[in-house]
Amino acid sequence: EAAPRMSRMPTRAPWPFRLLIRLYPEDFRRDFGRDVEREFAVSLIEAQGRRERLVAWRKALADALISIPREHWDTWVGWDGRSWDMGGVWNDVTRAIRSLGRSPGFAAVVVLTVGLGVGATATIFSVVHGVLLAPLPYPDSDRIVLVNEQMVATEQNVTLSYVNAQDWKKAQTSLEALALLRGGALTLTRSDGAEQLSALFVDGEYFDVLGARPAMGRVFGVDENTAPGGHPIAILTHGAWQRVFGGDPEVVGASVDLGGLPFTVIGVLEEDYRDPFPGANGTGNDVILPAMMAGQIDPRGDEVVRVRRWRTFSAIGKLRPGVTAEEAEADLRQIAARLEEVDPVNRGMSATVQPFVQATTQGLRGPVLTLMGGALVLLLIACFNVANLLMVRGAARRQELAVQLALGAGRSRLFRFLTLESLVLAAAGGALGILATSFALPSLLGLVPNQLPTTADVELSLPVLLAAMGVTLLAGVAFGLLPAARVSGGDLRGALSGSRSVGDPRGERVRNGLVLFEVATATILLASSALLIRSFQELSSADSGFTTENVMTFRVNLPPARYADDASMASAAEQLAERLEGLPGVTFAQPWGPGRPGLVFNFQTSIPDEMVVDQMGDAPLARRHHVLPGGVEDMGLTLLRGRMIQDTDVAEAPQVVVISESMANELWPGQDAIGRQYHSFQPPGAPLPRNRHWTVVGVVSDANHGGRVPIPGAITTSNDSYFPLAQRPERAFTMLVQTTQDPDMAPIREAVRRFDPSIPVFQVATIQDNFRQEEGTSRFAAQLMGAFGLAALLLSALGVYGVISFTVSQRTREIGLRAALGAEPGDTLGHFVRYGLKLAGAGVVLGALTAFGAAQGLQAVVPNVPDMDAVAVGIAGGLLVAVALLACLLPAVRATRIAPVIALKEE
């Protein structure tokens, strides 16, 4: 029995271990190598987890290092049979370190330059890896997809009908699971007050898709999500369990008051569960409830899960093994086409399927990749700069290298020594860059907006460290090979004469070319930075069209148990506004629902009565706002025609609306919109409800309620409709409070508590704060690209200074002779300044020509970037020429102060 079992044992270990065995003595490898390899392979197979495999690798490495004979350090035989003089290599490394120690200023400049390039690259790559490359923290995360419905006519994604989704689940064959979900907020009421919880309504398959498991209790299944409003059970996330309930284990099985209804807590999720959705508080959800309970947060009640036309859910799914997102989308689109015949409300509707990581990073991918490109360009400039510095240093060491060559050192030995010197510098710079990244990353994350996915882990992880080490090695090779080849391969015999005036025209051309490309690359980076900064300034200074000064916003959620019908909700909003307007220093207080000014995602179809629309995708869309009389005026919108909302626009009165000028022009071009009527989409033949048909009584100025930063894939329109709150009340709305000075929330919170202690106050921020958060990604990209541009400017100045300074040192005798023959200091100064400015000018021209193409690349990945123009290029070129002039002046002025006698004596 042992023989067959041994025959099935692996005989080959992974290739890194086979490489490691090369460190063992030759006779040991010949006699026992196969046995050691087989033993290691078996130990990896028998390892029960990652920790045991790491222990096996660590033991193998320790054994190999202990067993290395001394002669292996001196001569190592590679796989190809060639012998490498390792003793000579180590000697060259120590010589390189001592040599650099004799030039501490030069070494410091190079190490700082490399550290700047590597640090910038590693820092941004940590963001790229954490946001775009790292797998999601879920089992088989590459198979998780986001599923939505889509209007075929406009290709706009919309939320999903619960009833349609049930038909999809029955008919689809491409997904292992399809989980429905909807975000919301519920008020937790306790004896000590009310607190708002971010809630997620899901069906039982949600836990299968994400692999979520309970730390205590259990999760609910499909059978506990069948009857609307019939399953009042809840699951807490670990964070909410700790924060809200103090980690009390007795909460499992207890009843809690959520939204005025008793819910039984059946479980607490594991601590390492990562909520993929930001929730109402932006950092994740607090409580997970059955999807059939979603009517608790919607004024339409249980209709949201029983009526096909209400599209209020999203969905995530897990692909079957071997199925692509495109194949799943084709499958669901076939089902959607069949559903068009089932109900006219589905006409013109289809389905979309996106990889989940792609869907959640859609707005970040462009800016983050742009920053990565900027960091790589900065690294390239650093390499150009260091290569030039090494060329200059090598030319200054020609006499030293010529002596070594004359004493018997071969050119290959000189090349190896110079290359190792570059690698030593790169290693020191890389270590500095990684150290800087470890300190800079936390500060950088403080600048990163809340738009980062909740699943992103931006940290100095092992992949980031390996990438930084790889970049360091490549940088060392990139900036070290050319100088080493030029210096070691040139004619060094003339240097033995001791003359410092020995010229090298070819080397000078190479140095000048490096400076030219360095300045050109810096011009591209600076022009791109100027373009992003200007784009952000235009974005942040854009007029929103409504009042923003000293306006505090906060969300209010009326408990269903106390405010069960439309009349009570409308009355509560009005009374709360009156209470807040009575506070000292308050100019106005207005409820504004369902969203907030400047960031509204609530749309409705708006179809003029004279227009016939057979499918929802062909209907015009408008944002909807529900306000009290005086609310539109308080927010600074101008009445253009007709009237504003009045006190007479009560629930029993005719349904009226005030619309924006853009909406009036789109629905009734060239006509007066006052008195016109429109309605929301209804399937052909369906009766038109009274509260879905409105008469236009006023037209007001446009406002940018879609936000100043466009969201990729979001609906874009300037159509806005303002409804009387009495006719369309909201349970959850935003309260706007303007004060005569900076708002103070303490008296506002107290006023809300006195009005009704069961009403929580949450998502508190000024409108300006909301704008700053919304513009966070653009600000982040502009600030970081601006920092890269300044670093490129500094490095370019250093490159120009190095070339001019070296040229002055090499032409000391010539300068002395010119001065002895009567040359004026101004002539010498002008000569070297012109020389440096010609280099910088040529680089600026080359970079300016290329910058226009770079702008097109930016526009392809970053929204709202304007075309490259003479302003951005002029700013970049002007800065570089000015800095180059300063860099030229320092060595040029030093040249004018060289006394002829001293210059000739030095020679």
Side-chain angles (χ1 to χ4, degrees), residues 650-695:
V650 295
E652 300 78 15
Q655 305 286 295
V656 298
V657 65
V658 174
I659 64 175
S660 64
E661 185 177 22
S662 292
M663 184 172 175
N665 293 335
E666 180 175 344
L667 299 189
W668 299 282
Q671 304 176 52
D672 187 5
I674 303 300
R676 301 279 184 171
Q677 294 183 322
Y678 71 90
H679 59 274
S680 62
F681 176 75
Q682 297 290 323
L688 184 64
R690 175 177 178 270
N691 62 350
R692 296 290 162 183
H693 187 261
W694 307 277
T695 301

Short mmCIF file of all heavy atoms in Angstrom, two decimals, residues 650-695:
data_model
loop_
_atom_site.label_atom_id
_atom_site.label_comp_id
_atom_site.label_asym_id
_atom_site.label_seq_id
_atom_site.Cartn_x
_atom_site.Cartn_y
_atom_site.Cartn_z
N VAL A 650 -54.04 73.57 -1.18
CA VAL A 650 -54.16 72.54 -0.16
C VAL A 650 -54.48 71.21 -0.82
O VAL A 650 -54.64 71.11 -2.04
CB VAL A 650 -55.24 72.91 0.87
CG1 VAL A 650 -54.82 74.15 1.65
CG2 VAL A 650 -56.59 73.14 0.18
N ALA A 651 -54.62 70.17 -0.01
CA ALA A 651 -54.80 68.82 -0.54
C ALA A 651 -56.07 68.72 -1.39
O ALA A 651 -56.08 68.02 -2.41
CB ALA A 651 -54.82 67.82 0.60
N GLU A 652 -57.15 69.38 -0.97
CA GLU A 652 -58.42 69.24 -1.67
C GLU A 652 -58.49 70.11 -2.91
O GLU A 652 -59.38 69.93 -3.76
CB GLU A 652 -59.58 69.60 -0.75
CG GLU A 652 -59.68 68.74 0.50
CD GLU A 652 -58.66 69.13 1.58
OE1 GLU A 652 -58.08 70.24 1.46
OE2 GLU A 652 -58.42 68.33 2.50
N ALA A 653 -57.59 71.09 -3.07
CA ALA A 653 -57.62 72.01 -4.20
C ALA A 653 -57.08 71.32 -5.46
O ALA A 653 -56.49 70.24 -5.39
CB ALA A 653 -56.80 73.25 -3.86
N PRO A 654 -57.28 71.93 -6.62
CA PRO A 654 -56.72 71.36 -7.86
C PRO A 654 -55.20 71.19 -7.74
O PRO A 654 -54.50 72.01 -7.15
CB PRO A 654 -57.08 72.41 -8.92
CG PRO A 654 -58.30 73.09 -8.38
CD PRO A 654 -58.11 73.12 -6.89
N GLN A 655 -54.70 70.10 -8.31
CA GLN A 655 -53.28 69.78 -8.24
C GLN A 655 -52.49 70.73 -9.15
O GLN A 655 -52.72 70.77 -10.37
CB GLN A 655 -53.04 68.34 -8.68
CG GLN A 655 -53.87 67.31 -7.92
CD GLN A 655 -53.34 67.10 -6.51
OE1 GLN A 655 -52.23 66.61 -6.33
NE2 GLN A 655 -54.13 67.46 -5.51
N VAL A 656 -51.56 71.49 -8.55
CA VAL A 656 -50.82 72.49 -9.31
C VAL A 656 -49.33 72.25 -9.17
O VAL A 656 -48.88 71.48 -8.31
CB VAL A 656 -51.17 73.92 -8.84
CG1 VAL A 656 -52.65 74.22 -9.05
CG2 VAL A 656 -50.80 74.09 -7.36
N VAL A 657 -48.54 72.94 -9.99
CA VAL A 657 -47.09 72.80 -9.97
C VAL A 657 -46.46 74.06 -10.54
O VAL A 657 -47.04 74.73 -11.40
CB VAL A 657 -46.66 71.56 -10.79
CG1 VAL A 657 -47.00 71.73 -12.27
CG2 VAL A 657 -45.18 71.28 -10.63
N VAL A 658 -45.29 74.39 -10.04
CA VAL A 658 -44.44 75.45 -10.59
C VAL A 658 -43.24 74.76 -11.22
O VAL A 658 -42.63 73.87 -10.59
CB VAL A 658 -43.99 76.44 -9.50
CG1 VAL A 658 -43.00 77.45 -10.06
CG2 VAL A 658 -45.20 77.16 -8.91
N ILE A 659 -42.89 75.14 -12.45
CA ILE A 659 -41.83 74.44 -13.16
C ILE A 659 -40.71 75.40 -13.53
O ILE A 659 -40.88 76.62 -13.52
CB ILE A 659 -42.36 73.74 -14.43
CG1 ILE A 659 -42.88 74.76 -15.42
CG2 ILE A 659 -43.43 72.72 -14.07
CD1 ILE A 659 -43.33 74.16 -16.75
N SER A 660 -39.55 74.85 -13.87
CA SER A 660 -38.39 75.65 -14.27
C SER A 660 -38.55 76.09 -15.73
O SER A 660 -39.31 75.49 -16.51
CB SER A 660 -37.10 74.85 -14.11
OG SER A 660 -37.09 73.73 -14.99
N GLU A 661 -37.80 77.11 -16.09
CA GLU A 661 -37.87 77.63 -17.45
C GLU A 661 -37.45 76.58 -18.48
O GLU A 661 -38.05 76.47 -19.55
CB GLU A 661 -37.00 78.88 -17.56
CG GLU A 661 -37.09 79.58 -18.90
CD GLU A 661 -36.26 80.84 -18.96
OE1 GLU A 661 -35.33 80.96 -18.15
OE2 GLU A 661 -36.55 81.71 -19.81
N SER A 662 -36.41 75.80 -18.16
CA SER A 662 -35.95 74.77 -19.09
C SER A 662 -37.05 73.73 -19.31
O SER A 662 -37.24 73.25 -20.45
CB SER A 662 -34.70 74.08 -18.54
OG SER A 662 -33.60 74.97 -18.55
N MET A 663 -37.76 73.37 -18.26
CA MET A 663 -38.83 72.39 -18.41
C MET A 663 -39.96 72.95 -19.26
O MET A 663 -40.52 72.23 -20.11
CB MET A 663 -39.34 72.01 -17.02
CG MET A 663 -40.40 70.92 -17.04
SD MET A 663 -40.79 70.36 -15.35
CE MET A 663 -42.14 69.23 -15.69
N ALA A 664 -40.30 74.21 -19.06
CA ALA A 664 -41.35 74.83 -19.88
C ALA A 664 -40.96 74.84 -21.35
O ALA A 664 -41.78 74.55 -22.23
CB ALA A 664 -41.62 76.25 -19.38
N ASN A 665 -39.68 75.16 -21.63
CA ASN A 665 -39.24 75.22 -23.02
C ASN A 665 -39.20 73.83 -23.67
O ASN A 665 -39.39 73.70 -24.87
CB ASN A 665 -37.86 75.87 -23.10
CG ASN A 665 -37.90 77.34 -22.72
OD1 ASN A 665 -38.95 78.00 -22.84
ND2 ASN A 665 -36.78 77.87 -22.25
N GLU A 666 -38.90 72.80 -22.86
CA GLU A 666 -38.84 71.45 -23.44
C GLU A 666 -40.23 70.89 -23.69
O GLU A 666 -40.47 70.26 -24.73
CB GLU A 666 -38.06 70.51 -22.52
CG GLU A 666 -37.98 69.09 -23.07
CD GLU A 666 -37.11 68.16 -22.24
OE1 GLU A 666 -36.33 68.68 -21.40
OE2 GLU A 666 -37.22 66.94 -22.41
N LEU A 667 -41.15 71.10 -22.74
CA LEU A 667 -42.48 70.51 -22.89
C LEU A 667 -43.35 71.30 -23.85
O LEU A 667 -44.16 70.71 -24.60
CB LEU A 667 -43.17 70.39 -21.53
CG LEU A 667 -42.49 69.51 -20.47
CD1 LEU A 667 -43.39 69.33 -19.26
CD2 LEU A 667 -42.11 68.16 -21.04
N TRP A 668 -43.22 72.62 -23.84
CA TRP A 668 -44.05 73.46 -24.72
C TRP A 668 -43.16 74.50 -25.41
O TRP A 668 -43.20 75.69 -25.08
CB TRP A 668 -45.15 74.15 -23.91
CG TRP A 668 -46.08 73.17 -23.25
CD1 TRP A 668 -47.08 72.48 -23.85
CD2 TRP A 668 -46.07 72.78 -21.88
NE1 TRP A 668 -47.72 71.67 -22.94
CE2 TRP A 668 -47.12 71.83 -21.71
CE3 TRP A 668 -45.29 73.12 -20.77
CZ2 TRP A 668 -47.40 71.23 -20.49
CZ3 TRP A 668 -45.57 72.52 -19.56
CH2 TRP A 668 -46.62 71.58 -19.43
N PRO A 669 -42.31 74.08 -26.32
CA PRO A 669 -41.40 75.03 -26.98
C PRO A 669 -42.15 76.12 -27.75
O PRO A 669 -43.08 75.82 -28.51
CB PRO A 669 -40.60 74.13 -27.93
CG PRO A 669 -41.45 72.92 -28.13
CD PRO A 669 -42.20 72.73 -26.86
N GLY A 670 -41.74 77.37 -27.49
CA GLY A 670 -42.34 78.50 -28.19
C GLY A 670 -43.74 78.83 -27.74
O GLY A 670 -44.41 79.66 -28.38
N GLN A 671 -44.23 78.22 -26.64
CA GLN A 671 -45.58 78.47 -26.16
C GLN A 671 -45.53 78.88 -24.69
O GLN A 671 -44.53 78.67 -24.01
CB GLN A 671 -46.45 77.22 -26.31
CG GLN A 671 -46.51 76.66 -27.73
CD GLN A 671 -47.30 75.37 -27.79
OE1 GLN A 671 -48.44 75.30 -27.32
NE2 GLN A 671 -46.73 74.34 -28.39
N ASP A 672 -46.64 79.46 -24.22
CA ASP A 672 -46.75 79.83 -22.81
C ASP A 672 -47.18 78.60 -22.02
O ASP A 672 -48.21 77.98 -22.32
CB ASP A 672 -47.76 80.96 -22.65
CG ASP A 672 -47.77 81.50 -21.22
OD1 ASP A 672 -46.93 81.05 -20.40
OD2 ASP A 672 -48.60 82.37 -20.93
N ALA A 673 -46.39 78.25 -21.01
CA ALA A 673 -46.68 77.04 -20.24
C ALA A 673 -47.77 77.25 -19.20
O ALA A 673 -48.32 76.26 -18.68
CB ALA A 673 -45.41 76.54 -19.57
N ILE A 674 -48.10 78.50 -18.84
CA ILE A 674 -49.08 78.75 -17.79
C ILE A 674 -50.44 78.21 -18.22
O ILE A 674 -50.93 78.47 -19.32
CB ILE A 674 -49.17 80.25 -17.48
CG1 ILE A 674 -47.80 80.81 -17.09
CG2 ILE A 674 -50.20 80.50 -16.37
CD1 ILE A 674 -47.20 80.17 -15.88
N GLY A 675 -51.03 77.44 -17.31
CA GLY A 675 -52.33 76.83 -17.59
C GLY A 675 -52.24 75.50 -18.29
O GLY A 675 -53.26 74.80 -18.42
N ARG A 676 -51.07 75.12 -18.77
CA ARG A 676 -50.91 73.82 -19.43
C ARG A 676 -50.95 72.71 -18.38
O ARG A 676 -50.66 72.91 -17.20
CB ARG A 676 -49.59 73.76 -20.18
CG ARG A 676 -49.44 74.82 -21.26
CD ARG A 676 -50.15 74.41 -22.52
NE ARG A 676 -49.93 75.36 -23.60
CZ ARG A 676 -50.29 75.15 -24.85
NH1 ARG A 676 -50.88 74.01 -25.19
NH2 ARG A 676 -50.09 76.07 -25.78
N GLN A 677 -51.27 71.53 -18.85
CA GLN A 677 -51.37 70.39 -17.95
C GLN A 677 -50.47 69.25 -18.43
O GLN A 677 -50.28 69.07 -19.64
CB GLN A 677 -52.83 69.90 -17.86
CG GLN A 677 -53.76 70.91 -17.21
CD GLN A 677 -55.17 70.37 -17.07
OE1 GLN A 677 -55.67 69.66 -17.94
NE2 GLN A 677 -55.83 70.71 -15.96
N TYR A 678 -49.94 68.53 -17.47
CA TYR A 678 -49.15 67.35 -17.82
C TYR A 678 -49.38 66.27 -16.76
O TYR A 678 -49.96 66.53 -15.70
CB TYR A 678 -47.67 67.69 -17.98
CG TYR A 678 -46.92 68.03 -16.70
CD1 TYR A 678 -46.28 67.04 -15.96
CD2 TYR A 678 -46.82 69.34 -16.24
CE1 TYR A 678 -45.57 67.34 -14.80
CE2 TYR A 678 -46.12 69.65 -15.09
CZ TYR A 678 -45.50 68.64 -14.38
OH TYR A 678 -44.81 68.94 -13.23
N HIS A 679 -48.90 65.06 -17.06
CA HIS A 679 -49.13 63.93 -16.16
C HIS A 679 -47.91 63.02 -16.19
O HIS A 679 -47.05 63.13 -17.06
CB HIS A 679 -50.38 63.16 -16.58
CG HIS A 679 -50.31 62.63 -17.98
ND1 HIS A 679 -50.67 63.39 -19.08
CD2 HIS A 679 -49.90 61.43 -18.48
CE1 HIS A 679 -50.51 62.69 -20.19
NE2 HIS A 679 -50.03 61.49 -19.85
N SER A 680 -47.85 62.13 -15.22
CA SER A 680 -46.79 61.14 -15.20
C SER A 680 -47.20 59.96 -16.08
O SER A 680 -48.37 59.79 -16.42
CB SER A 680 -46.50 60.67 -13.78
OG SER A 680 -47.65 60.05 -13.23
N PHE A 681 -46.24 59.15 -16.45
CA PHE A 681 -46.50 58.06 -17.38
C PHE A 681 -47.47 57.04 -16.79
O PHE A 681 -47.35 56.63 -15.63
CB PHE A 681 -45.19 57.36 -17.74
CG PHE A 681 -45.37 56.15 -18.62
CD1 PHE A 681 -45.65 56.30 -19.97
CD2 PHE A 681 -45.28 54.88 -18.09
CE1 PHE A 681 -45.83 55.20 -20.78
CE2 PHE A 681 -45.46 53.76 -18.89
CZ PHE A 681 -45.73 53.92 -20.24
N GLN A 682 -48.42 56.66 -17.60
CA GLN A 682 -49.36 55.60 -17.27
C GLN A 682 -49.40 54.62 -18.44
O GLN A 682 -49.35 55.05 -19.61
CB GLN A 682 -50.77 56.16 -17.04
CG GLN A 682 -50.87 57.12 -15.86
CD GLN A 682 -50.70 56.41 -14.53
OE1 GLN A 682 -51.17 55.29 -14.37
NE2 GLN A 682 -50.07 57.06 -13.58
N PRO A 683 -49.49 53.33 -18.19
CA PRO A 683 -49.61 52.37 -19.29
C PRO A 683 -50.85 52.68 -20.13
O PRO A 683 -51.86 53.16 -19.59
CB PRO A 683 -49.74 51.02 -18.58
CG PRO A 683 -49.16 51.24 -17.22
CD PRO A 683 -49.46 52.66 -16.88
N PRO A 684 -50.76 52.47 -21.43
CA PRO A 684 -51.94 52.75 -22.28
C PRO A 684 -53.18 52.02 -21.76
O PRO A 684 -53.15 50.84 -21.43
CB PRO A 684 -51.49 52.20 -23.64
CG PRO A 684 -50.01 52.28 -23.61
CD PRO A 684 -49.61 51.99 -22.20
N GLY A 685 -54.26 52.79 -21.64
CA GLY A 685 -55.51 52.22 -21.17
C GLY A 685 -55.70 52.29 -19.67
O GLY A 685 -56.81 52.06 -19.18
N ALA A 686 -54.63 52.61 -18.92
CA ALA A 686 -54.75 52.67 -17.46
C ALA A 686 -55.37 54.00 -17.06
O ALA A 686 -55.12 55.04 -17.69
CB ALA A 686 -53.39 52.51 -16.81
N PRO A 687 -56.21 54.03 -16.02
CA PRO A 687 -56.80 55.31 -15.57
C PRO A 687 -55.73 56.23 -15.01
O PRO A 687 -54.72 55.78 -14.46
CB PRO A 687 -57.78 54.87 -14.49
CG PRO A 687 -57.26 53.56 -14.00
CD PRO A 687 -56.63 52.90 -15.19
N LEU A 688 -55.93 57.55 -15.15
CA LEU A 688 -54.96 58.54 -14.68
C LEU A 688 -55.37 59.01 -13.30
O LEU A 688 -56.40 59.68 -13.13
CB LEU A 688 -54.91 59.71 -15.66
CG LEU A 688 -53.87 60.80 -15.37
CD1 LEU A 688 -52.46 60.22 -15.48
CD2 LEU A 688 -54.03 61.97 -16.33
N PRO A 689 -54.62 58.68 -12.24
CA PRO A 689 -54.98 59.13 -10.89
C PRO A 689 -54.93 60.65 -10.79
O PRO A 689 -54.17 61.34 -11.48
CB PRO A 689 -53.91 58.48 -10.01
CG PRO A 689 -53.31 57.39 -10.84
CD PRO A 689 -53.41 57.85 -12.25
N ARG A 690 -55.74 61.18 -9.86
CA ARG A 690 -55.79 62.63 -9.68
C ARG A 690 -54.46 63.21 -9.27
O ARG A 690 -54.06 64.28 -9.73
CB ARG A 690 -56.88 62.96 -8.64
CG ARG A 690 -56.95 64.44 -8.27
CD ARG A 690 -58.10 64.67 -7.29
NE ARG A 690 -58.16 66.06 -6.88
CZ ARG A 690 -57.51 66.56 -5.83
NH1 ARG A 690 -56.72 65.75 -5.11
NH2 ARG A 690 -57.61 67.84 -5.52
N ASN A 691 -53.75 62.52 -8.40
CA ASN A 691 -52.49 63.05 -7.89
C ASN A 691 -51.32 62.80 -8.84
O ASN A 691 -50.17 62.96 -8.47
CB ASN A 691 -52.18 62.48 -6.51
CG ASN A 691 -52.00 60.96 -6.56
OD1 ASN A 691 -52.29 60.33 -7.58
ND2 ASN A 691 -51.55 60.38 -5.46
N ARG A 692 -51.62 62.40 -10.07
CA ARG A 692 -50.59 62.23 -11.10
C ARG A 692 -50.87 63.14 -12.29
O ARG A 692 -50.41 62.87 -13.39
CB ARG A 692 -50.52 60.77 -11.55
CG ARG A 692 -50.10 59.81 -10.46
CD ARG A 692 -48.64 59.98 -10.11
NE ARG A 692 -48.33 59.39 -8.82
CZ ARG A 692 -47.13 59.45 -8.24
NH1 ARG A 692 -46.15 60.10 -8.83
NH2 ARG A 692 -46.92 58.90 -7.06
N HIS A 693 -51.64 64.20 -12.06
CA HIS A 693 -52.02 65.11 -13.15
C HIS A 693 -52.01 66.53 -12.58
O HIS A 693 -52.67 66.82 -11.58
CB HIS A 693 -53.43 64.75 -13.66
CG HIS A 693 -53.83 65.51 -14.87
ND1 HIS A 693 -54.65 66.61 -14.83
CD2 HIS A 693 -53.53 65.31 -16.18
CE1 HIS A 693 -54.83 67.08 -16.05
NE2 HIS A 693 -54.17 66.30 -16.90
N TRP A 694 -51.22 67.43 -13.23
CA TRP A 694 -51.00 68.75 -12.64
C TRP A 694 -51.20 69.86 -13.67
O TRP A 694 -51.00 69.66 -14.88
CB TRP A 694 -49.58 68.84 -12.08
CG TRP A 694 -49.25 67.73 -11.14
CD1 TRP A 694 -49.56 67.65 -9.82
CD2 TRP A 694 -48.59 66.51 -11.47
NE1 TRP A 694 -49.12 66.46 -9.29
CE2 TRP A 694 -48.51 65.74 -10.28
CE3 TRP A 694 -48.04 65.99 -12.64
CZ2 TRP A 694 -47.91 64.48 -10.23
CZ3 TRP A 694 -47.45 64.73 -12.60
CH2 TRP A 694 -47.39 64.00 -11.41
N THR A 695 -51.54 71.02 -13.12
CA THR A 695 -51.67 72.23 -13.93
C THR A 695 -50.54 73.19 -13.59
O THR A 695 -50.28 73.46 -12.41
CB THR A 695 -53.02 72.92 -13.65
OG1 THR A 695 -54.09 72.02 -13.97
CG2 THR A 695 -53.15 74.18 -14.49
#
